[in-house]
Amino acid sequence: MWQIISSAPFDRDLELAVIDEDGPHALVFPCRRILNGWMNAATKERLDIHPTHWRQWAGDGAG
């Protein structure tokens, strides 16, 4: 179940939903909330995104 982005926890792999020019969709990799933003949980790369919702990552266990 999707949660509002303001309630996203730190230190957990999350699936994020974003809205871009193609409409709303979920990112295909796990993300983590960090101070002042988000990072790709697998690569540790900082992301320039503005997600709208989150839910627990249920992917392949990466991160």
Side-chain angles (χ1 to χ4, degrees), residues 6 17 25 27-28 31-33 39 43 47 52 56 58 61:
S6 61
H25 61 90
L27 298 181
V28 298
C31 299
R32 287 205 174 208
R33 188 175 184 183
M39 72 175 186
T43 66
L47 301 171
T52 58
Q56 184 66 37

Side-chain angles (χ1 to χ4, degrees), residues 16 28 34 54 63:
L16 299 180
V28 298
I34 57 175
W54 72 275

Side-chain angles (χ1 to χ4, degrees), residues 7-59:
S7 69
F10 290 86
D11 298 324
R12 287 189 13 210
D13 288 355
L14 305 174
E15 181 177 12
L16 299 180
V18 297
I19 299 174
D20 63 15
E21 61 275 357
D22 297 323
H25 61 90
L27 298 181
V28 298
F29 51 86
C31 299
R32 287 205 174 208
R33 188 175 184 183
I34 57 175
L35 293 179
N36 301 316
W38 298 92
M39 72 175 186
N40 180 317
T43 66
K44 309 298 188 242
E45 179 183 0
R46 185 173 168 82
L47 301 171
D48 183 18
I49 58 172
H50 301 283
T52 58
H53 292 80
W54 72 275
R55 63 184 171 193
Q56 184 66 37
W57 176 256

